[in-house]
């Protein structure tokens, strides 16, 4: 029989644009997702989408089932939220701290969507730079942190993995290299946000283990970091989504680090007492859904 999970699968395929990302969004293995799709296609006697099209193009059968998904899923999700409000209440507060400063690039649409779903939950950003975001959770000054994994002390929800790229001016001495190794950074000026070095992946994972000497300069805004880079004041290491437009318009150039790239994982952390609240769980879901459909080059974590 056609089930709700089947409609969610088709909706995830459309949002994510590929089988791999749809499986991540649904917390399924790719083989489990493929098996589910095959059963559906066997039931309806033909393919639901074109395997080789990018983005995914749906057949008439797939499009008709998607139309049904568009009708039913919002109603089901709204009912689930309403039931949660009846059992848990529909008011609350989410004071959000960002360890990842470039997350501002995608967080605003997430907050807009969340407000539509939970209009009576007050959501706000805790302003400023915080050297120890987890301490804000401990002290009760924040309800939720987007950033690193803080260990078993807090409830943690995985978001996604992203690649960190090194950006530099067009005519930088390293511009001709396809990939950068640790030794390439010797003597360079690294432009970063004003956070501890232990929270900067390039320094922690690459430069310090190789005993590389470098200078460091800080700026609080991503656009300021990139302006300094373009002006040949140094280089920076930033998430792929944060620099895409600047690279596309040839403002700067980007290079991966190492043979496998430099990757980082992003999580939501909340106090244990918050982890079962419906609006917290839905906030995490909105982040994953929005980012899966709008951010290129990420890998959703399960």
């Amino acid at each position: 029989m056609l089930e709700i999970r089947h409609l969610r699968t088709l909706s995830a395929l459309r949002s994510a644009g590929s089988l791999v990302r749809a499986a991540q969004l649904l917390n399924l293995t790719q083989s489990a997702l493929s098996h589910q799709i095959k059963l559906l296609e066997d039931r309806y006697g033909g393919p639901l989408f074109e395997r080789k099209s990018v983005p995914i193009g749906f057949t008439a059968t797939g499009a008709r089932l998607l139309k049904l998904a568009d009708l039913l899923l919002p109603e089901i999700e709204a009912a689930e939220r309403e039931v949660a409000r009846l059992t848990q209440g529909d008011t609350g507060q989410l004071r959000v701290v960002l360890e990842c400063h470039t997350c501002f690039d995608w967080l605003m649409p997430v907050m807009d969507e969340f407000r539509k779903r939970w209009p009576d939950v007050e959501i706000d950003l805790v302003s400023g730079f915080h050297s120890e975001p987890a301490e804000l959770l401990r002290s009760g000054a924040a309800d939720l942190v987007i950033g690193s994994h803080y260990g078993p002390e807090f409830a943690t929800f995985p978001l996604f993995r992203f690649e960190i790229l090194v950006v530099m001016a067009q005519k930088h001495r390293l511009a001709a290299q396809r990939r950068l190794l640790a030794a390439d950074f010797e003597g360079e000026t690294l432009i970063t946000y004003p956070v501890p070095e232990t929270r900067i992946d390039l320094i922690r994972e690459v430069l310090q283990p190789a005993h590389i000497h470098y200078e460091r300069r800080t700026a609080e805004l991503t656009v300021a970091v990139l302006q300094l880079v373009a002006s040949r004041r140094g280089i920076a290491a930033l998430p792929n989504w944060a620099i895409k437009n600047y690279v596309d318009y040839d403002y700067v150039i980007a290079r991966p680090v190492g043979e496998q790239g430099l990757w980082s994982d992003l999580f939501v952390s909340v106090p244990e007492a918050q982890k079962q609240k419906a609006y917290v769980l839905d906030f995490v879901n909105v982040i994953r859904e929005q980012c899966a459909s709008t951010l290129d080059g990420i890998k959703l974590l399960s």
Side-chain angles (χ1 to χ4, degrees), residues 9-66:
T9 291
L10 292 173
S11 182
L13 272 173
R14 180 178 58 190
S15 298
S18 72
L19 280 170
V20 172
R21 295 182 74 176
Q24 294 169 346
L25 185 60
L26 295 164
N27 287 327
L28 296 173
T29 65
Q30 192 172 344
S31 60
L33 179 62
S34 296
H35 179 69
Q36 185 184 127
I37 291 170
K38 184 179 184 303
L39 290 177
L40 270 179
E41 291 182 329
D42 289 346
R43 171 181 173 81
Y44 291 108
L48 300 177
F49 61 93
E50 302 294 337
R51 259 60 175 183
K52 295 182 180 180
S53 65
V54 179
I56 287 177
F58 288 87
T59 63
T61 302
R64 180 61 185 88
L65 293 177
L66 267 176

Side-chain angles (χ1 to χ4, degrees), residues 28-233:
L28 296 173
T29 65
Q30 192 172 344
S31 60
L33 179 62
S34 296
H35 179 69
Q36 185 184 127
I37 291 170
K38 184 179 184 303
L39 290 177
L40 270 179
E41 291 182 329
D42 289 346
R43 171 181 173 81
Y44 291 108
L48 300 177
F49 61 93
E50 302 294 337
R51 259 60 175 183
K52 295 182 180 180
S53 65
V54 179
I56 287 177
F58 288 87
T59 63
T61 302
R64 180 61 185 88
L65 293 177
L66 267 176
K67 185 176 179 181
L68 178 63
D70 289 339
L71 286 172
L72 293 183
L73 292 182
E75 290 297 319
I76 292 169
E77 291 164 1
E80 288 174 339
R81 288 194 294 273
E82 185 62 27
V83 169
R85 290 187 182 101
L86 292 171
T87 57
Q88 299 181 17
D90 60 357
T91 62
Q93 183 180 43
L94 269 184
R95 294 164 296 170
V96 179
V97 177
L98 296 180
E99 177 188 310
C100 170
H101 300 98
T102 50
C103 293
F104 281 107
D105 294 342
W106 52 258
L107 186 61
M108 294 303 105
V110 167
M111 293 176 68
D112 289 342
E113 176 62 26
F114 180 79
R115 288 189 183 99
K116 294 177 186 176
R117 300 186 184 194
W118 296 89
D120 294 319
V121 173
E122 182 181 348
I123 184 168
D124 195 14
L125 291 175
V126 180
S127 61
F129 286 85
H130 306 281
S131 59
E132 294 295 337
E135 188 58 38
L136 297 176
L137 293 180
R138 295 188 188 99
S139 67
D143 304 297
L144 182 149
V145 173
I146 298 174
S148 306
H149 192 297
Y150 295 123
E153 180 181 358
F154 303 105
T156 302
F157 302 93
L159 294 178
F160 54 83
R161 175 168 295 168
F162 59 92
E163 187 173 12
I164 297 170
L165 300 174
V166 172
V167 288
M168 64 191 76
Q170 291 286 346
K171 295 184 180 180
H172 192 277
R173 68 177 183 89
L174 299 173
Q177 297 187 205
R178 288 181 55 252
R179 294 180 175 272
L180 302 182
L181 303 178
D184 296 322
F185 295 92
E186 185 70 37
E188 286 290 334
T189 296
L190 184 62
I191 303 168
T192 75
Y193 300 109
V195 298
E197 291 189 346
T198 54
R199 283 172 49 195
I200 300 173
D201 297 83
L202 179 65
I203 294 176
R204 186 184 65 250
E205 303 293 335
V206 179
L207 304 186
Q208 287 182 343
H211 305 290
I212 300 299
H213 297 92
Y214 59 91
E215 299 293 329
R216 186 181 174 200
R217 179 172 178 175
T218 63
E220 293 193 355
L221 301 176
T222 302
V223 65
V225 171
L226 289 164
Q227 285 174 348
L228 289 170
V229 168
S231 301
R232 306 188 70 176
R233 299 295 192 272

